[in-house]
Amino acid sequence: MTRVPLRPLARILEARAHGGDPDAIERENKQRRHEEMRDRARLRAEGRLLVLAAMFFCAFVTVGVRMGMLSSSVPSEPRAYAPGAQISQTRADIVDRQGRLMATNFVTHALYAEPPNMVEPAHAAAELARIFPDLEEDKLLALFTGPRKFLWIKPQISPEQKQAVHDIGEPGLLFGPREMRLYPNGPVAAHVMGGARYGEQAVQAAELIGVAGIESAFNDRLSDPARAGEPLMLTLDLTIQAAVERVLAGGMTVMNAKGAAAILMDAHTGEIISLASLPDFDPNDRPSPLTTGFDPSESPLFNRAVQGVYELGSTFKIFAAAQALEMGLVNPNTMINTRGPIRWGKHRINDFHDYGAELTVSDVIVRSSNIGTARLAQQIGAANQREFLDRLGFTKPTAIQLTEASGSQPLLPSNWSELSTMTISYGHGLSASPLHLATAYASLLNGGTRVTPTLVRTGPVAPGPRVVSERTSAVARDMLRQVVASDHGTASFAEVAGYQVGGKTGTADKPKPRGGYYDDKVIATFASVFPTNDPKYILIVTLDEPVVTILNEARRTAGFTAVPVAAEIIRRVAPLLGLKPEIEQPGPLGVTLTAN
Amino acid sequence: MTEMVYGVAPRQAKDPILPRWWRTIDKWSVSCILLLFAIGILLGLAASPPLAQRNGLDPFYYVERQLMFGFLAFIVMFATTMMSPQMVRRLGVLGFLAAFAAIVALPFFGTDFGKGAVRWYSLGFASFQPSEFMKPVYVVVIAWLMSASQEIQGPPGKTMSLVLTLVIVGFLAMQPDFGQSALILFGWGVMYFLAGAPYILIVGAAAVVVAAGFVFYENSQHFARRIDGFLNPEVDPTTQLGYATNAIREGGFFGVGVGEGQVKWSLPDAHTDFIIAVAAEEYGLVLVMLIIALYATVVVRSFLRLINERDPFIRLAGTGLAAMFGVQALINMGVAVRLLPAKGMTLPFVSYGGSSLIATGIAAGMLIAFTRTRPQGKIEDFLRQRGHG
């Protein structure tokens, strides 16, 4: 038992001494303390009750004021609001190197239905099926009378269609404004633009997402609201792109090719002025990829210039010649044994024509001798060749800013043997994209500094690391010029008056899917540089399975197919590029002074 | 003489019950409560036909039920107002034991009516939500414990009340019913405040709550999204809140007219949690202001009357009941006007709901009983002070 102290002790002791009742004193004391405590508690409670009353009163007044504010605000059509992140509708424009519009946004409407609000679902379904022939009335009616409260009908409709739907007068059919991605140039530069689709959709807005090409590679940059007002400037030139595509399409028809690709690159900066792949598509209405029973590389969506990995044939020969020059193994006039065929195990290396016992290095290139090039490659050696091709960029996918580029890993021989060295020297046994070839030609011929291909203007580009010496580069250009200018050259059709075109043809038999090569299917390539005295531009033209009948003879070699197409492209675009033709002056005009 | 002849006249120890009742109750509060109920029926006429139609019932089925339950509720309420505080306390404690047992047994015998939370007992013709009945009797028990602790050498009532509160909150949170848990905790806080909580503790608790809110906001995405959604001035028009806000705007000052409202067709909870939106749309700000004034009158008058109350138990219990009544109304209306984050809470006496109505009737009856004017021993005080002075 706890003992409670006796209080007040003095009085109790006194009472005890005088025989009084200490309990009564204690009770009285307790009673008094109790009363005091209650009084204290009551006073405190009085204050706190007042506080509580005031707080509740204020709270009620707050609710009342807020009600009043809400009631007096104008009822407006509630605006859409998605919890969390607001859908960013803005997407920056894309322009060409002169600021001309290549992709922009355009306000359009999506059509959706709220079946619970529908008055005449049957009528609405019938009218919709009439306005949009791809919709089926039965399915629409089933949806409108089903349990769904909300359904999208069309992601974007034209103003005429919107008016027609509006005229149905059905309150359950509604429009959600949204921006669509518009490519005002249609299919021009389709593979670079790629295309866009809707991502997250709300009633009042929809997010645009790039699906391919530059739209996909720069999706974050384009959809960044902070940079929405700042267009993305490409290195493409819209006029030149259109001209290249038009000439290439004509050439593809004339040469009966099933596909074609062209790349026009600034030789010093790696900027791509034009990149075309045919057949193409309209990014405004991007076709869905065919998934079955179809070779994806035959699809219009396939970017042959970037994704297509081909054996590029004799265009590679200049690399062997340049490397041999750079290593000091030969000079342009060194005689090379071209007696063939070279037998290597069960393989034989042959030339298209028999060029006799010996040719100079220059003539090996000009006449395109496989045997001569293979001899050069033997002198160079596998390791050196591999290292050189690596410096030119042939061992890695290109760094171009297209999502498709990451898939363009060149096909290298699994075992880089001496035989591989010899076949690679004339462009067989190593597959790479036309863009790889353009990059390598630019690096080799611009004076010898490595370029990185780019599609986006970022200001002045510093020259890359040196690949070959200026001198080797100049000699290589001279050899390529001879290929075009010389009587024996394989690319004599490439001569364009006023522009010193140099280049190398390449005709590679297409590999069969199950091994071996077709006899009658080739990839014809012409890799060119112009003007050769002051290298400014690299042009690669590739035709897939071209065949042209000349004098009752089917011609497939690049000299008859890719070269004329490339020459026509240069003829068209060189003036657009601002290149001044060098016309030989016929001497000073004879002035006859006459005097009366 | 007279006494010798006729005997001692039977001395009337007390006044007659009814006149004394009429004299001592707070007639203002009773009138307000009756008016609120009448408004509830009026709004029920507007808000419940869509629900009845959805459930394939007679359009005024829910109004009739509400009238029936209202009749029961008023019988209970007036019976309660006539009891003495001691009687209320005794019955309250017994009722508390019953309600507590009912809540504990909920997981075994309750039903969730397909709503995901086991909160109800199904009685066939009606359902019964023990947590509604728990609120008034809980206040009585806590007030009893706290007032006992104010006696010299009394039991440690405040500690016991806290433990009891936490147990109940634990059971409610298990259902889960965070709204009622919060209400119970709030009631305890108010009573503890009144029973003499040190101010430093109150300030400390507020600081902890704010700090915890920040920590949650930084760390929990779900929590942060709800708060962001609440703070965002734009409201998604397809949510209940969006409909409610728009309905209040549509109503303006005088409403769109009786029966003309649209919000009741879109809101599943138009007859309970968002009845204030129906009121605002059809009858305008005028009716809403009247409703707010009625609640404020009941609550503030009760507090002011309790200032004079000397009995700690009555003071505590009355304050707890008034505070819970007021805060329930405040939360309901605060949600509709987006002053508070969304939380389902009925509007006492106005929202539809049988067991809730009867429970509110009990609570209001107790409140009226506690705020009756009664002798406060002021004369004894005076005499005592004179004696000691």
Side-chain angles (χ1 to χ4, degrees):
Chain A
M1 182 193 152
T2 50
R3 288 184 63 87
V4 181
L6 299 168
R7 280 183 290 191
L9 195 56
R11 273 184 68 193
I12 289 173
L13 290 178
E14 195 185 349
R16 275 188 182 162
H18 296 90
D21 182 4
D23 285 354
I25 296 175
E26 205 182 348
R27 258 200 312 275
E28 187 196 317
N29 174 267
K30 203 169 164 183
Q31 173 77 16
R32 196 176 49 77
R33 276 169 55 216
H34 194 239
E35 294 294 338
E36 281 172 4
M37 210 173 91
R38 286 202 144 189
D39 285 352
R40 255 201 327 275
R42 203 187 73 229
L43 284 173
R44 189 174 55 204
E46 279 178 8
R48 292 195 173 188
L49 270 170
L50 268 178
V51 170
L52 275 178
M55 274 167 53
F56 269 85
F57 184 73
C58 290
F60 277 114
V61 167
T62 310
V63 170
V65 167
R66 175 85 187 168
M67 279 279 182
M69 275 162 55
L70 264 186
S71 301
S72 54
S73 64
V74 184
S76 55
E77 196 69 24
R79 268 189 291 148
Y81 156 70
Q86 192 108 21
I87 292 181
S88 167
Q89 279 229 75
T90 51
R91 193 171 176 86
D93 289 349
I94 301 177
V95 297
D96 81 340
R97 64 189 295 128
Q98 301 192 30
R100 288 172 295 199
L101 209 52
M102 307 223 29
T104 188
N105 296 341
F106 185 72
V107 175
T108 179
H109 286 85
L111 175 62
Y112 64 96
E114 286 180 357
N117 293 336
M118 284 201 156
V119 179
E120 288 179 276
H123 177 65
E127 287 292 303
L128 280 178
R130 187 181 59 76
I131 298 167
F132 304 102
D134 55 325
L135 296 180
E136 290 171 42
E137 188 181 340
D138 306 345
K139 285 187 183 167
L140 282 176
L141 188 57
L143 284 170
F144 291 166
T145 51
R148 291 182 62 178
K149 294 196 168 151
F150 182 98
L151 56 105
W152 291 107
I153 297 175
K154 281 271 174 187
Q156 59 193 38
I157 57 176
S158 71
E160 293 82 7
Q161 288 168 331
K162 179 173 180 249
Q163 187 59 45
V165 174
H166 187 80
D167 289 343
I168 301 175
E170 174 58 69
L173 292 176
L174 298 157
F175 307 102
R178 57 205 11 23
E179 297 210 325
M180 64 175 276
R181 197 66 165 162
L182 183 74
Y183 303 94
N185 311 306
V188 175
H191 291 94
V192 175
M193 306 318 292
R197 65 175 171 82
Y198 288 119
E200 198 182 330
Q201 298 212 58
V203 167
Q204 301 292 325
E207 184 189 18
L208 282 165
I209 297 177
V211 287
I214 206 99
E215 290 270 23
S216 168
F218 280 84
N219 191 43
D220 292 343
R221 150 73 177 86
L222 291 167
S223 57
D224 180 1
R227 303 179 71 184
E230 182 190 336
L232 178 69
M233 184 173 268
L234 301 185
T235 57
L236 295 186
D237 185 303
L238 187 56
T239 319
I240 294 169
Q241 174 75 23
V244 168
E245 283 188 21
R246 177 170 288 199
V247 176
L248 192 66
M252 193 173 108
T253 314
V254 171
M255 303 303 170
N256 302 305
K258 64 182 212 178
I263 297 167
L264 181 63
M265 180 188 270
D266 185 309
H268 295 282
T269 61
E271 288 183 349
I272 292 170
I273 314 291
S274 166
L275 189 146
S277 171
L278 295 174
D280 62 1
F281 61 97
D282 186 349
N284 290 307
D285 186 18
R286 188 180 163 87
S288 45
L290 295 168
T291 45
T292 52
F294 199 80
D295 182 359
S297 67
E298 309 279 304
S299 158
L301 295 175
F302 187 74
N303 188 343
R304 290 163 184 272
V306 173
Q307 288 171 286
V309 181
Y310 310 109
E311 290 182 314
L312 292 164
S314 308
T315 53
F316 266 53
K317 283 176 183 159
I318 192 65
F319 303 134
Q323 193 181 6
L325 289 167
E326 181 74 6
M327 291 170 74
L329 300 174
V330 293
N331 65 47
N333 299 318
T334 308
M335 300 306 283
I336 301 291
N337 176 12
T338 53
R339 193 181 301 281
I342 301 179
R343 291 176 201 277
W344 197 270
K346 58 181 177 169
H347 290 273
R348 292 151 59 94
I349 296 175
N350 256 323
D351 276 333
F352 200 68
H353 303 289
D354 184 3
Y355 298 120
E358 281 186 328
L359 284 175
T360 62
V361 172
S362 233
D363 277 344
V364 164
I365 298 300
V366 170
R367 298 189 171 209
S368 197
S369 163
N370 292 347
I371 297 168
T373 321
R375 297 275 186 228
L376 285 175
Q378 276 181 304
Q379 293 187 48
I380 291 166
N384 286 335
Q385 183 190 44
R386 176 170 197 160
E387 187 269 336
F388 188 65
L389 293 180
D390 179 57
R391 268 193 282 162
L392 291 173
F394 277 110
T395 52
K396 288 184 287 292
T398 52
I400 192 82
Q401 300 94 333
L402 297 175
T403 39
E404 296 84 1
S406 58
S408 66
Q409 168 68 41
L411 302 179
L412 306 174
S414 49
N415 168 26
W416 205 301
S417 64
E418 194 170 350
L419 177 66
S420 297
T421 309
M422 288 192 280
T423 60
I424 286 170
S425 73
Y426 58 88
H428 285 77
L430 187 151
S431 302
S433 68
L435 185 60
H436 278 106
L437 190 64
T439 310
Y441 263 61
S443 303
L444 181 65
L445 302 173
N446 65 3
T449 53
R450 175 96 170 88
V451 301
T452 307
T454 178
L455 271 167
V456 177
R457 291 271 276 189
T458 49
V461 181
R466 185 154 287 283
V467 182
V468 293
S469 66
E470 293 253 11
R471 195 184 136 65
T472 307
S473 180
V475 173
R477 283 202 302 275
D478 191 48
M479 287 180 185
L480 294 179
R481 175 66 191 141
Q482 291 306 312
V483 175
V484 176
S486 153
D487 294 340
H488 311 293
T490 52
S492 50
F493 283 127
E495 185 66 9
V496 179
Y499 301 99
Q500 293 190 27
V501 178
K504 183 73 197 78
T505 56
T507 310
D509 289 337
K510 280 183 86 170
K512 291 180 181 170
R514 299 188 188 283
Y517 287 90
Y518 290 107
D519 290 337
D520 55 349
K521 291 186 180 174
V522 298
I523 297 276
T525 308
F526 183 55
S528 56
V529 55
F530 62 95
T532 46
N533 54 347
D534 176 20
K536 285 208 166 70
Y537 297 101
I538 302 294
L539 174 69
I540 308 288
V541 172
T542 299
L543 296 178
D544 190 0
E545 298 181 21
V547 57
V548 58
T549 310
I550 297 172
L551 300 173
N552 290 331
E553 194 180 342
R555 304 280 193 167
R556 296 191 175 83
T557 53
F560 287 99
T561 54
V563 171
V565 177
E568 185 59 25
I569 290 176
I570 292 171
R571 202 168 285 127
R572 288 279 198 96
V573 304
L576 292 173
L577 287 165
L579 289 181
K580 198 171 157 191
E582 292 181 6
I583 308 293
E584 279 178 49
Q585 294 291 329
L589 288 171
V591 177
T592 311
L593 293 172
T594 54
N596 291 335
Chain B
M1 252 332 255
T2 319
E3 287 174 0
M4 289 171 74
V5 175
Y6 298 105
V8 179
R11 211 176 125 241
Q12 208 145 21
K14 293 174 182 171
D15 296 333
I17 290 178
L18 277 177
R20 194 169 70 91
W21 174 80
W22 180 245
R23 207 179 65 237
T24 54
I25 58 162
D26 182 11
K27 290 179 266 299
W28 276 96
S29 290
V30 173
S31 319
C32 287
I33 289 171
L34 288 174
L35 255 174
L36 280 172
F37 178 72
I39 291 174
I41 295 293
L42 179 70
L43 292 176
L45 285 171
S48 70
L51 180 74
Q53 194 184 335
R54 272 200 292 275
N55 292 350
L57 299 163
D58 181 65
F60 295 115
Y61 172 80
Y62 290 105
V63 181
E64 285 163 16
R65 272 176 73 97
Q66 181 81 342
L67 273 172
M68 186 189 81
F69 277 112
F71 185 65
L72 278 175
F74 278 106
I75 291 178
V76 173
M77 182 176 113
F78 283 112
T80 313
T81 58
M82 291 185 192
M83 292 180 193
S84 70
Q86 285 74 22
M87 189 69 162
V88 171
R89 187 172 71 200
R90 281 172 207 142
L91 291 180
V93 172
L94 290 178
F96 175 80
L97 292 177
F100 188 71
I103 284 183
V104 171
L106 258 185
F108 308 106
F109 303 106
T111 169
D112 63 352
F113 287 115
K115 292 181 190 172
V118 184
R119 295 178 191 168
W120 296 272
Y121 285 109
S122 179
L123 303 179
F125 66 97
S127 63
F128 160 77
Q129 190 180 350
S131 58
E132 287 282 352
F133 290 89
M134 173 57 103
K135 281 184 285 186
V137 292
Y138 162 82
V139 169
V140 169
V141 167
I142 297 300
W144 183 41
L145 287 172
M146 283 189 179
S147 62
S149 77
Q150 293 190 353
E151 302 290 330
I152 287 177
Q153 293 163 30
K158 289 174 183 165
T159 317
M160 285 162 68
S161 72
L162 178 60
V163 171
L164 191 61
T165 304
L166 292 179
V167 169
I168 294 170
V169 166
F171 275 109
L172 288 178
M174 259 167 51
Q175 293 183 3
D177 191 345
F178 296 112
Q180 303 282 14
S181 314
L183 212 54
I184 293 273
L185 275 176
F186 175 80
W188 184 82
V190 167
M191 284 190 275
Y192 184 50
F193 170 66
L194 195 69
Y199 270 104
I200 190 156
L201 192 68
I202 296 164
V203 173
V208 166
V209 167
V210 171
F214 269 112
V215 169
F216 271 116
Y217 185 82
E218 293 296 330
N219 293 323
S220 158
Q221 244 187 350
H222 170 76
F223 187 76
R225 204 176 308 127
R226 289 210 32 185
I227 297 298
D228 282 343
F230 165 63
L231 293 179
N232 194 306
E234 293 302 324
V235 51
D236 187 349
T238 57
T239 59
Q240 297 223 45
L241 264 180
Y243 281 117
T245 308
N246 211 37
I248 295 170
R249 287 196 171 134
E250 291 285 348
F253 290 104
F254 300 104
V256 298
V258 179
E260 298 290 318
Q262 292 303 315
V263 71
K264 58 193 179 188
W265 297 100
S266 347
L267 280 184
D269 289 336
H271 60 303
T272 56
D273 293 357
F274 285 99
I275 193 143
I276 197 75
V278 176
E281 190 184 25
E282 299 209 348
Y283 300 92
L285 188 62
V286 181
L287 184 71
V288 175
M289 285 300 181
L290 175 64
I291 293 174
I292 294 175
L294 291 176
Y295 282 115
T297 308
V298 172
V299 175
V300 174
R301 270 192 73 89
S302 299
F303 283 149
L304 294 181
R305 284 175 75 93
L306 286 166
I307 285 181
N308 295 324
E309 180 59 59
R310 305 210 148 199
D311 185 295
F313 164 72
I314 297 179
R315 194 167 58 213
L316 281 168
T319 306
L321 288 167
M324 273 165 103
F325 180 78
V327 90
Q328 206 176 331
L330 277 173
I331 289 179
N332 178 290
M333 294 187 288
V335 168
V337 294
R338 288 175 56 70
L339 277 172
L340 296 170
K343 184 77 223 103
M345 191 81 61
T346 55
L347 200 52
F349 284 113
V350 176
S351 288
Y352 173 80
S355 65
S356 132
L357 192 56
I358 293 179
T360 319
I362 293 175
M366 286 179 173
L367 181 61
I368 303 291
F370 287 139
T371 56
R372 280 168 74 169
T373 37
R374 52 178 67 82
Q376 294 298 346
K378 285 187 180 165
I379 296 169
E380 284 95 322
D381 266 7
F382 181 69
L383 290 177
R384 185 158 51 93
Q385 278 172 8
R386 278 268 301 258
H388 284 289

